[in-house]
Amino acid sequence: MRLAETVTFGGAGLDRAAGLRGDPEAVAALLCAGETRILPVWRGKPLFAGAAAGWLTPGHAVLAEATEAPVLLGLAGGAARFAVDVSGWEPPVGEAPAEGVFFDPTEQRHPDLPGDHRFAELRGLMAALTAGDAELVATAKALLGWHRSHRYCSACGRPSAVIEAGWQRRCPDCGTRHFPRTDPVVIMLVTRGERTLLGRSPGWPEGMFSCLAGFMEPGETIEAAVRREVAEETGVRIGRVSYLASQPWPYPSSLMIGCLAEAESEAIMLDPVELEAAVWLSREEAARVLAGDHPTIRRPRRGAIAGFLLTHWVADRLD
């Protein structure tokens, strides 16, 4: 797919500076450099300044809230970009995040920052970021989320330590090294002629439908995962499978592998645990969904690969 890398979080060509990660002195020097910028992330929410990433200069007061050393994201225009977890900060009364919701609309403002700076859900602002910042912010969110959930060695249970500028953890007791986790997920644009299949998971906001998707299993090819997931969720039989595009999806740490799946059957037999509804839409109906004027299905969230694939299918641009 020629337009594959125009998907949100993809195609910016970030210099991840892997050669610097094992040089603590070089990393320490970068942390003090005047052109360096650091992105604080609070409980999974990156800092935003307006609709842009909220990069701060080294030594800023907010960075004193850090629970661990900053992680090196890479170089942007030759200047270092870091991220740091500031989840220890407690927001003012009344600004607590929402719990148990699909999307947290709350925003938290630190008293040492200007009024347009706030910690917010990346889902709501991801499509507004530049390609470069989108890749950096997605990397920051996923990497810091991994550190928060993998503080202990899975081999012996002891606390592990951050090494390699944040790209590894090492157990000081048994020496085991741990690496950031990425979970592969297949997401399918299922088509049969001029129709496509969308599904709705239980608990989603009203009117929200999407392409079918599911985690890959050990020992499974991408094609097999596509066929299995579609069959398990809807009973639809899939024949030819082809790759379209991929998207890092830091909620918390997935890689969405977008595929075109050509259906060989149409009858829908739902697995109610996975889906509460599934529908075949014509290309014209899908166009109405994308335009926001479908009577029952809401427009996809901007930035998600599901909407990206659906948009290019409607426009006949999947080549």
Side-chain angles (χ1 to χ4, degrees):
M1 185 177 177
R2 289 176 294 172
L3 298 172
E5 290 188 281
T6 62
V7 67
T8 300
F9 303 138
L14 171 65
D15 178 357
R16 293 176 175 253
L20 294 173
R21 296 173 187 171
D23 188 341
E25 291 184 0
V27 173
L30 287 173
L31 272 170
C32 299
E35 66 273 17
T36 290
R37 295 294 180 267
I38 304 174
L39 180 74
V41 178
W42 180 80
R43 301 180 190 178
K45 292 182 175 183
L47 181 68
F48 289 92
W55 297 106
L56 301 181
T57 55
H60 194 286
V62 171
L63 305 178
E65 309 280 358
T67 55
E68 285 187 320
V71 300
L72 175 63
L73 304 175
L75 303 176
R81 294 291 182 267
F82 288 84
V84 67
D85 190 332
V86 295
S87 296
W89 170 66
E90 290 296 335
V93 176
E95 289 191 13
E99 296 182 2
V101 296
F102 181 82
F103 173 78
D104 178 7
T106 66
E107 298 180 344
Q108 289 72 36
R109 288 172 166 78
H110 196 287
D112 292 327
L113 291 170
D116 67 337
H117 284 55
R118 74 276 188 220
F119 295 101
E121 280 285 356
L122 180 56
R123 288 179 192 264
L125 292 163
M126 57 187 176
L129 296 172
T130 65
D133 271 359
E135 186 172 359
L136 285 161
V137 174
T139 302
K141 178 175 169 58
L143 192 55
L144 292 178
W146 171 72
H147 281 293
R148 283 179 61 79
S149 61
H150 289 74
R151 297 190 184 280
Y152 296 89
C153 176
S154 60
C156 72
R158 302 281 184 159
S160 60
V162 177
I163 61 172
E164 293 288 323
W167 287 89
Q168 292 182 36
R169 298 186 73 95
R170 183 180 181 276
C171 177
D173 289 296
C174 71
T176 300
R177 289 176 178 252
H178 305 277
F179 299 84
R181 174 173 175 166
T182 295
D183 301 312
V185 177
V186 288
I187 182 165
M188 294 73 72
L189 181 70
V190 178
T191 63
R192 185 163 171 80
E194 292 295 299
R195 296 199 296 167
T196 190
L197 180 65
L198 300 182
R200 171 180 169 78
S201 292
W204 278 5
E206 183 178 355
M208 181 177 176
F209 281 73
S210 184
C211 296
L212 305 186
F215 288 98
M216 293 185 63
E217 296 185 344
E220 190 173 43
T221 66
I222 292 172
E223 294 84 355
V226 167
R227 295 186 182 105
R228 174 185 55 79
E229 283 290 341
V230 176
E232 287 177 355
E233 294 184 354
T234 66
V236 171
R237 186 174 65 256
I238 297 298
R240 182 171 180 266
V241 175
S242 54
Y243 171 78
L244 292 174
S246 65
Q247 181 182 47
W249 194 240
Y251 309 104
S253 55
S254 297
L255 175 66
M256 308 299 290
I257 304 169
C259 296
L260 177 63
E262 299 179 14
E264 295 181 341
S265 65
E266 296 184 12
I268 295 174
M269 295 177 289
L270 290 180
D271 176 355
V273 175
E274 297 286 342
L275 296 178
E276 68 176 33
V279 294
W280 286 100
L281 295 182
S282 68
R283 201 179 294 259
E284 291 73 22
E285 289 175 304
R288 292 188 64 188
V289 170
L290 295 172
D293 65 358
H294 192 279
T296 58
I297 301 177
R298 64 191 294 177
R299 177 188 298 164
R301 185 182 299 277
R302 289 183 62 221
I305 193 172
F308 177 84
L309 296 177
L310 193 62
T311 296
H312 289 297
W313 176 70
V314 168
D316 196 21
R317 291 195 302 254
L318 293 181
D319 58 321

